[in-house]
Amino acid sequence: MRIRDNAINGVTALFAEIVAPEISEAPTTLGQSGKAGIIKSCLDQGGIQATISTDASWSNDTASFQFRLAREPAAIAFPQDKDQVAVALECARNASIKVSAIGRAHSFQGYGYGNPGNLVIDMQAFTDLSFNNFTNQLTFGGGANVGPAAKYLWDNYRRHFPHVRGSHVGLAGSTMGGGFGTTSRFLGIPTDNLASIEYMLYNGSVVTAGPGSDLLWAAQGAGPSFGIVLSATLNTHEVPIDGAISYSLALGDVEVDAASTALLKIQKWVTSGQAPDELSLRFSLGNFASAGFFYGAEAEFDQALEPLVESLRSIAPAANLTKTVLPSFWDSEVAATGAGMNDPTGGQLGGRASLVQSWTVTSDNALSLKQAKALLQSYHSLNRTDIVGSGFLDLWGGISRNITDSDTAFAHGKNLWLIRVDGVANSGVWPSDGSAYMQALLEPFESSLKKSAPLRSFVNYVNSELSVKEWSSRLYGKNFAKLQKIKTGVDPKGLFSGYGLAIPAK
Ligand SMILES: Cc1cc2nc3c(=O)[nH]c(=O)nc-3n(C[C@H](O)[C@H](O)[C@H](O)COP(=O)(O)OP(=O)(O)OC[C@H]3O[C@@H](n4cnc5c(N)ncnc54)[C@H](O)[C@@H]3O)c2cc1C
Ligand SMILES: *[C@@H]1O[C@H](CO)[C@@H](O)[C@H](O)[C@H]1NC(C)=O
Ligand SMILES: *[C@@H]1O[C@H](CO)[C@@H](O)[C@H](O)[C@H]1NC(C)=O
Ligand SMILES: *[C@@H]1O[C@H](CO)[C@@H](O)[C@H](O)[C@H]1NC(C)=O
Ligand SMILES: *[C@@H]1O[C@H](CO)[C@@H](O)[C@H](O)[C@H]1NC(C)=O
Ligand SMILES: *[C@@H]1O[C@H](CO)[C@@H](O)[C@H](O)[C@H]1NC(C)=O
Ligand SMILES: *[C@@H]1O[C@H](CO)[C@@H](O)[C@H](O)[C@H]1NC(C)=O
Ligand SMILES: *[C@@H]1O[C@H](CO)[C@@H](O)[C@H](O)[C@H]1NC(C)=O
């Protein structure tokens, strides 16, 4: 078993005691989790609604998409406005406990509830949406979620922002951690589209981090480390046409070797400039089919795909392209992101016990046939009955060709593929050896990948079991030192350091 230096669950009191001394004004012998009563009475005095583990609503209040990890905060506060957030932060500072925000609780790594003993600020009251018709920017509250925001923008202004494929997912969290979606190849990822963020800092001061500021740069990949996001503003876009093509490109019954060759042919089609940016493509590791959307005219789609299908038939004779013309852009939003897009609440939280791992590959170090085979072979070696696999490669490329790693804290310049593999528990309960098993399963791919370039990953899909050294280099690369400096200036006492991806102060 790996030794983790970023405690998320299981290792409770020990790690809580190690992290606590960073905030050291109030001498105490209580562990963080022993402070529920203190923090609750402070919140009560401030008139802030809050719950602790003995309250009847606790299991609802700590509901999480991720079942694998325990949720053991000291208390959850439900502030109704900025002033209440400020008081809650003061209560946490006074009690020497750390703070994390919960948006919509979709983090695959349980980062919203953070380490045991946190004060969790639940942002559910902060869901305002507004549109500025001079800047064409959307401003959303720190607790807003994807579906209602996308629908508001489309219904009222016929505009769009790139977003994740989950209507209930929190907008602040997903935007700060990447947010790759079906329009990201031509409009960028949500992180790239962040125009500004309104933060409440550890001391209750409210700052708006705008273009060119260090804090906005840092938020673009590491946002939860710096404060509570009260609101944020995104660039929005017109869509190329009000409609889309939904397609599937099956390979038929092929083995790993042929499927790997096919994947390389798809890659070649992309790197030789034949794949339009307005196309999304997700290659499934399960059945080797590609599927996605094209945001343009049908004739253009047919023309672009024809040479690809032809070249695939040389290895997979049954390769079969099927398409459906969607009459409106909104139909494609629902098809890509789920029926929750039409639900005023964004739909349901859902959930499962799982471990996600991810890798990104750049156009400078495109996949070799050997690496593709290692990936497909590793994935298909999964041989357990208590864990099922789910895995795909999302084609990136597109406008990321013009992005360099230093543009935002999250290093994603020239990304060509976003590769993701999940192990999902069959029973809803994660087996105790599941994480070690899934990491060992993908090890042959990982070691093949790191022969050609340093490993890279994706914030929202990062493997929670990595050490600080591993995740810092995979997500931030050379940006990490600057991030640490910014952290030291903005959150000097590490109030927002109570979660697995917290940037360590320098
Ligand atoms: C069904 C599903 C589909 C997904 N699809 C995609 C996808 O297509 N592309 C993609 O990139 N990701 C995807 N994700 C991952 C998702 O984008 C991230 O997990 C995201 O961080 C979730 O945000 P949340 O608010 O729902 O989660 P939370 O767990 O509430 O928060 C996630 C992180 O953001 C922080 N945070 C949230 N709100 C605030 C705030 N107001 N102030 C400060 N910090 C805040 C939390 O502290 C935590 O660190 C998906 C996840 C799920 C479960
Ligand atoms: C928990 O949430 C469910 C579903 O929203 C609701 O029916 C139930 O009453 C809640 N329970 C408590 C104790 O709040
Ligand atoms: C925090 O502690 C200070 C100093 O003891 C005190 O004046 C202040 O009222 C406390 N804040 C809250 C919200 O209890
Ligand atoms: C912009 O919004 C204002 C206020 O709602 C409205 O009066 C104006 O007509 C709008 N302008 C455009 C170009 O839509
Ligand atoms: C292609 O796929 C469609 C839809 O799944 C199916 O109806 C059709 O028979 C397939 N064609 C071939 C040649 O396999
Ligand atoms: C499952 O796979 C592992 C590693 O790939 C192997 O060691 C083991 O023997 C396999 N078990 C079964 C039952 O096939
Ligand atoms: C993006 O990069 C390509 C070359 O890789 C260049 O031709 C193009 O002009 C760039 N686009 C923008 C918007 O900078
Ligand atoms: C709060 O902290 C920030 C960052 O350290 C600092 O710039 C600001 O002056 C502080 N505000 C107050 C009121 O002390």
Side-chain angles (χ1 to χ4, degrees):
M1 203 186 134
R2 283 179 189 229
I3 308 274
R4 295 188 300 167
D5 53 4
N6 52 344
I8 294 172
N9 96 27
V11 270
T12 53
L14 175 62
F15 278 92
E17 287 306 322
I18 290 170
V19 293
E22 268 184 59
I23 293 180
S24 54
E25 299 98 313
T28 174
T29 52
L30 288 173
Q32 289 212 354
S33 50
K35 292 184 176 173
I38 295 173
I39 191 84
K40 178 70 160 70
S41 74
C42 181
L43 293 163
D44 284 349
Q45 258 168 38
I48 300 160
Q49 195 196 323
T51 57
I52 57 175
S53 66
T54 49
D55 288 312
S57 62
W58 187 248
S59 68
N60 278 4
D61 297 342
T62 54
S64 169
F65 186 88
Q66 180 56 272
F67 302 162
R68 174 170 59 91
L69 303 163
R71 282 83 67 192
E72 296 171 341
I76 304 196
F78 300 88
Q80 299 302 303
D81 56 33
K82 291 180 197 186
D83 291 344
Q84 292 201 339
V85 177
V87 174
L89 296 185
E90 194 176 318
C91 288
R93 291 199 312 273
N94 279 3
S96 296
I97 72 174
K98 296 192 185 287
V99 173
S100 55
I102 196 84
R104 292 290 175 151
H106 284 265
S107 169
F108 293 118
Q109 307 83 356
Y111 293 145
Y113 294 109
N115 298 341
N118 278 2
L119 169 62
V120 169
I121 310 267
D122 188 316
M123 296 300 288
Q124 64 179 255
F126 295 75
T127 55
D128 282 358
L129 301 170
S130 63
F131 181 70
N132 179 322
N133 66 10
F134 291 100
T135 60
N136 283 325
Q137 289 173 337
L138 172 79
T139 296
F140 61 91
N145 54 352
V146 167
K151 189 163 170 57
Y152 162 85
L153 189 64
W154 180 255
D155 285 353
N156 295 299
Y157 306 100
R158 283 290 181 272
R159 294 183 72 86
H160 165 75
F161 58 89
H163 56 73
V164 301
R165 298 173 74 164
S167 55
H168 194 270
V169 172
L171 209 38
S174 59
T175 299
M176 295 186 290
F180 193 91
T182 56
T183 57
S184 290
R185 295 192 61 242
F186 69 107
L187 298 177
I189 56 172
T191 304
D192 300 328
N193 281 280
L194 258 181
S196 66
I197 291 207
E198 183 196 16
Y199 267 117
M200 182 170 287
L201 304 181
Y202 76 102
N203 56 10
S205 284
V206 175
V207 298
T208 298
S213 68
D214 277 355
L215 187 51
L216 178 62
W217 177 90
Q220 291 173 301
S225 256
F226 303 99
I228 303 295
V229 177
L230 298 171
S231 71
T233 297
L234 280 170
N235 295 325
T236 71
H237 306 269
E238 280 182 334
V239 292
I241 62 165
D242 185 7
I245 314 285
S246 164
Y247 76 95
S248 169
L249 176 49
L251 291 183
D253 196 8
V254 294
E255 298 298 318
V256 160
D257 279 7
S260 304
T261 306
L263 177 57
L264 268 275
K265 284 195 182 278
I266 295 172
Q267 179 176 275
K268 179 80 192 161
W269 175 70
V270 173
T271 54
S272 63
Q274 297 181 81
D277 288 355
E278 294 78 12
L279 181 93
S280 76
L281 184 149
R282 174 171 285 187
F283 181 93
S284 163
L285 289 172
N287 64 5
F288 309 133
S290 301
F293 298 88
F294 178 68
Y295 302 96
E298 189 177 359
E300 210 183 312
F301 172 81
D302 293 343
Q303 202 184 352
L305 271 285
E306 196 196 282
L308 175 64
V309 175
E310 187 140 321
S311 84
L312 290 175
R313 289 218 167 109
S314 66
I315 347 147
N320 184 12
L321 176 67
T322 51
K323 65 179 179 184
T324 308
V325 178
L326 301 172
S328 85
F329 176 73
W330 189 253
D331 292 332
S332 76
E333 286 285 78
V334 175
T337 314
M341 290 298 272
N342 284 323
D343 185 324
T345 67
Q348 302 290 317
L349 172 63
R352 62 195 185 196
S354 65
L355 181 82
V356 64
Q357 300 179 75
S358 63
W359 303 267
T360 61
V361 167
T362 69
S363 53
D364 289 341
N365 289 285
L367 286 173
S368 66
L369 184 58
K370 210 170 162 182
Q371 289 167 340
K373 269 189 198 165
L375 173 61
L376 272 53
Q377 229 142 34
S378 296
Y379 183 82
H380 282 270
S381 311
L382 199 157
N383 63 1
R384 294 174 63 134
T385 54
D386 55 348
I387 298 176
V388 292
S390 151
F392 51 77
L393 297 91
D394 270 328
L395 178 62
W396 199 319
I399 67 164
S400 80
R401 72 177 71 87
N402 293 73
I403 288 171
T404 61
D405 280 355
S406 58
D407 288 353
T408 62
F410 168 39
H412 62 285
K414 296 191 183 175
N415 274 359
L416 178 61
W417 292 109
L418 167 54
I419 304 167
R420 168 175 164 187
V421 173
D422 293 60
V424 182
N426 257 329
S427 63
V429 178
W430 188 241
S432 58
D433 64 340
S435 298
Y437 176 83
M438 287 307 298
Q439 292 178 104
L441 187 73
L442 273 298
E443 205 281 328
F445 168 59
E446 203 167 277
S447 48
S448 166
L449 201 54
K450 80 185 159 197
K451 282 184 190 132
S452 54
L455 294 175
R456 294 159 76 89
S457 185
F458 184 75
V459 182
N460 283 339
Y461 304 158
V462 72
N463 172 2
S464 61
E465 306 306 292
L466 298 179
S467 66
V468 176
K469 191 164 176 237
E470 289 167 325
W471 62 250
S472 63
S473 68
R474 293 184 198 195
L475 300 176
Y476 307 113
K478 292 187 178 127
N479 296 332
F480 194 58
K482 178 173 165 189
L483 262 180
Q484 287 189 277
K485 249 185 230 147
I486 296 170
K487 171 75 174 178
T488 310
V490 173
D491 185 26
K493 292 177 176 160
L495 187 68
F496 302 107
S497 291
Y499 74 112
L501 274 192
I503 304 301
K506 216 170 165 78

